Amino acid sequence: MMAATSGLFSDLREIKKQLLSISWLCRERGLMHSVKWASELAFSLESIPLNELPSMPALTEEDAQDLDAFTLAKSYFDLKEYDRAAYFLRGCKSQKAYFLYMYSRYLSGEKRKDDETVDSLGPLEKGQVKNEALRELRVELSKKHKARELDGFGLYLYGVVLRKLDLVKEALDVFVEATHVLPLHWGTWLELCNLITDKEMLKFLTLPDCWIKEFFLAHIYTEQQLIEEALQKYQSLIDAGFSKSTYIISQIAVAYHNIRDIDKALSIFNELRKQDPYRIENMDTFSNLLYVRGLKPELSYLAHNLCDIDKYRVETCCVIGNYYSLRSQHEKAALYFQRALKLNPRYLGAWTLMGHEYMEMKNTSAAIQAYRHAIEVNKRDYRAWYGLGQTYEILKMPFYCLYYYRRAHQLRPNDSRMLVALGECYEKLNQLVGAKKCYWRAYAVGDVEKMALVKLAKLHEQLNESEQAAQCYIKYIQDIYSCGIVEHQEVSTAFRYLAQYYFKCKLWDEASACAQKCFNFNDTREEGKALLRQILQLRNQNESPSADLQSNAPFLFPQSVSASNTPTRRVSPLNLSSVTP
């Protein structure tokens, strides 16, 4: 795989020429996001001499005839006067002018839709606002497509229209066709990414074998939470010669954010800001990390800095919203997320963050609407599915929250938080086998909050499965202390249970050691003292443990677990010296 990748990037000078050429073609057609992407990549590569610079594309006879109208219309288009641009492009024959004509009509419809979305304050109406131009555009572009008169840009626009009309299968086919006709247009690859739901679907697509496909694969792996594969791809791109690319650096930071490697992500974002200090893109993700770490001064500095650069960018509004949220000013935070959505109603992060704020304000109906809008924008946003699950959990509707937690888990199969939430749902529904599976799986994938084993232990306690409960508590204590965590909310519970368990087994040394550990916690101190007195009394009576009860000593986790229960294996009692902090 690495050899194949290096072969695609063997001539970086040629790749730079291609990037400069596609940047020019996209700029002519007003596709500025694709221009920015190509320009950033080109900037990260070595300069090429004047005599090797690519020449501007030659004008055709039709281009020459439409030149005056195209130049005028493009000036109006750049000023966002889309209807005016479309009016002066009527009847133009060249591919370039036809694309700008259709694209102006499309953007005019989108602008009208966004204006209506902002004006309609009721959250229910927002999803019902449509771009009225889409059906007409589809009919006209369909005729051109059947006549094979669309170039790569025309196919891209046709695919966008089909996707907006929820004709996913047709849109997918058109976007794949567009990648073959014009493989260097990044916008087409991004649209394709939005339609591919899983890795299996990707295998059945016939895509061009071009260097840009490697960027596409890295991007889609990041979107689908296949972070290990994504990081491998980005590393291979860096090794191929794109080490200075701020795009790749930002994507790697986002990937680490997605797997909650917060320290690594923060380090990369800080490095990115040194290289590109006026960058606003992805800074809302950076602010999420600062929020999770509770870094108020850094988040305040970022908010002020972005405000100075451009206070009317959605990312800036989200950063300021996060800042107020960290200060527990949730009404102000929600106000800034609403402001972000007025600037761009399709901005995913703002919908999700606004849902979180409504949850903090106990406004569950508004939170549900915000999360639903986030899912409308991107069905792969696990945070919105998880948020809906939490909301319905507050409303005590366990069947609903089970559905939403399942969807979140499908998107993040190795996220322990989703698994613990699922386990709690199963427990409430008295589906205890399912709950055990979820808690065990949460522990196996790396329990972020260190609560899965405790919940599993308590479940065994309820079922009077004392051996399994003791096993879980032992492993929990070992995990907590091995991570260097001295105080955790359930450590006292674990020591109390183990002290009582060893007492029942008449293992006085172990029971005594656990009871002494209970002294460190306010809620278990008295129980620990009482148990020690009982142990002392029994020892004075020279009572020895029976063979029967000793055989009930706890055991450690084996490598595998059955579907219905935690398996058992007898080992020596807990060695507290190995877990003392």
Side-chain angles (χ1 to χ4, degrees), residues 20 200 209 238 273 320 342 357 362 504 524-525:
L20 293 171
E200 287 302 309
D209 193 19
I238 287 171
R273 276 178 63 74
I320 297 169
K342 284 186 177 180
E357 294 312 306
K362 305 292 187 286
K504 286 174 188 172
T524 57
R525 187 171 293 134

Side-chain angles (χ1 to χ4, degrees), residues 237-447:
L237 290 170
I238 287 171
D239 295 340
F242 290 94
S243 58
K244 295 177 182 176
S245 168
T246 51
Y247 164 77
I248 291 176
I249 294 167
S250 67
Q251 287 295 103
I252 291 171
V254 168
Y256 279 116
H257 163 269
N258 289 354
I259 54 170
R260 296 181 70 79
D261 190 339
I262 296 170
D263 293 331
K264 186 81 173 171
L266 281 172
S267 169
I268 296 170
F269 269 121
N270 283 319
E271 184 58 38
L272 180 64
R273 276 178 63 74
K274 285 178 188 173
Q275 290 187 33
D276 193 356
Y278 293 94
R279 183 188 184 93
I280 294 180
E281 196 178 359
N282 303 121
M283 288 302 111
D284 50 337
T285 305
F286 183 34
S287 76
N288 292 341
L289 295 162
L290 296 172
Y291 177 93
V292 170
R293 275 282 181 262
L295 300 170
K296 279 187 189 176
E298 290 85 347
L299 188 50
S300 173
Y301 175 77
L302 180 65
H304 280 97
N305 183 236
L306 295 184
C307 230
D308 290 341
I309 298 168
D310 187 350
K311 66 165 73 171
Y312 298 112
R313 277 279 292 268
V314 286
E315 294 92 341
T316 303
C317 292
C318 287
V319 171
I320 297 169
N322 271 338
Y323 170 68
Y324 282 121
S325 182
L326 189 58
R327 294 183 61 182
S328 299
Q329 295 177 255
H330 300 296
E331 290 83 0
K332 260 191 170 179
L335 192 68
Y336 273 95
F337 295 135
Q338 286 171 349
R339 188 175 291 181
L341 291 165
K342 284 186 177 180
L343 292 167
N344 182 0
R346 292 182 299 281
Y347 196 70
L348 171 67
W351 282 118
T352 308
L353 292 168
M354 195 159 73
H356 296 342
E357 294 312 306
Y358 283 135
M359 285 279 285
E360 293 288 346
M361 292 188 280
K362 305 292 187 286
N363 188 346
T364 49
S365 61
I368 287 169
Q369 291 296 346
Y371 288 135
R372 288 195 190 285
H373 278 298
I375 289 165
E376 278 179 27
V377 175
N378 183 359
K379 287 184 172 59
R380 289 204 297 267
D381 182 27
Y382 76 93
R383 296 168 302 170
W385 291 108
Y386 185 65
L388 279 169
Q390 287 180 309
T391 312
Y392 282 110
E393 195 171 353
I394 289 167
L395 295 170
K396 294 183 168 47
M397 300 170 75
F399 283 106
Y400 278 81
C401 71
L402 182 63
Y403 169 76
Y404 292 114
Y405 282 145
R406 274 178 177 161
R407 292 297 298 264
H409 170 58
Q410 286 167 4
L411 293 164
R412 298 270 289 190
N414 294 322
D415 193 321
S416 63
R417 294 167 302 161
M418 316 298 154
L419 286 157
V420 169
L422 265 178
E424 288 172 343
C425 271
Y426 282 126
E427 209 172 328
K428 284 170 187 167
L429 295 167
N430 208 32
Q431 297 180 24
L432 302 185
V433 172
K436 285 181 185 179
K437 279 184 186 177
C438 289
Y439 292 144
W440 165 253
R441 176 73 181 148
Y443 165 71
V445 298
D447 186 13

Side-chain angles (χ1 to χ4, degrees), residues 44-87:
S44 69
L45 298 175
E46 291 293 324
S47 300
I48 53 179
L50 178 64
N51 62 339
E52 291 187 28
L53 285 172
S55 55
M56 286 168 50
L59 292 176
T60 64
E61 187 63 38
E62 288 176 336
D63 287 333
Q65 288 174 5
D66 296 339
L67 185 60
D68 292 338
F70 179 82
T71 306
L72 177 66
K74 184 63 169 60
S75 68
Y76 295 145
F77 181 93
D78 291 341
L79 294 168
K80 294 186 166 59
E81 298 182 47
Y82 301 123
D83 290 321
R84 200 176 179 192
Y87 177 80

Side-chain angles (χ1 to χ4, degrees), residues 68-211:
D68 292 338
F70 179 82
T71 306
L72 177 66
K74 184 63 169 60
S75 68
Y76 295 145
F77 181 93
D78 291 341
L79 294 168
K80 294 186 166 59
E81 298 182 47
Y82 301 123
D83 290 321
R84 200 176 179 192
Y87 177 80
F88 284 98
L89 287 167
R90 292 172 306 154
C92 288
K93 303 293 183 188
S94 66
Q95 291 273 19
K96 189 164 61 176
Y98 180 73
F99 173 83
L100 196 64
Y101 169 62
M102 299 300 277
Y103 193 40
S104 297
R105 288 170 61 190
Y106 165 76
L107 289 178
S108 171
E110 286 294 294
K111 186 171 181 289
R112 204 168 285 118
K113 184 187 83 168
D114 288 349
D115 291 344
E116 286 177 32
T117 302
V118 170
D119 293 340
S120 100
L121 298 174
L124 282 170
E125 292 93 342
K126 288 186 180 178
Q128 297 166 4
V129 180
K130 303 290 181 188
N131 180 346
E132 298 298 334
L134 291 176
R135 295 190 185 282
E136 285 180 26
L137 291 172
R138 183 201 168 193
V139 171
E140 293 177 40
L141 287 165
S142 176
K143 287 177 185 173
K144 288 271 188 180
H145 184 236
K146 284 174 184 172
R148 299 191 173 280
E149 293 176 6
L150 292 177
D151 63 359
F153 292 110
L155 288 167
Y156 158 74
L157 181 58
Y158 184 34
V160 170
V161 169
L162 290 170
R163 182 179 67 79
K164 289 279 184 178
L165 290 167
D166 293 323
L167 300 168
V168 176
K169 175 69 173 66
E170 294 91 330
L172 192 67
D173 293 339
V174 170
F175 284 132
V176 170
E177 185 183 345
T179 60
H180 285 276
V181 175
L182 187 68
L184 297 177
H185 179 213
W186 181 238
T188 304
W189 293 97
L190 281 184
E191 288 291 342
L192 196 56
C193 183
N194 292 332
L195 298 180
I196 296 170
T197 53
D198 53 50
K199 201 174 179 181
E200 287 302 309
M201 191 175 173
L202 189 60
K203 290 177 184 175
F204 293 103
L205 296 180
T206 309
L207 299 169
D209 193 19
C210 175
W211 59 265

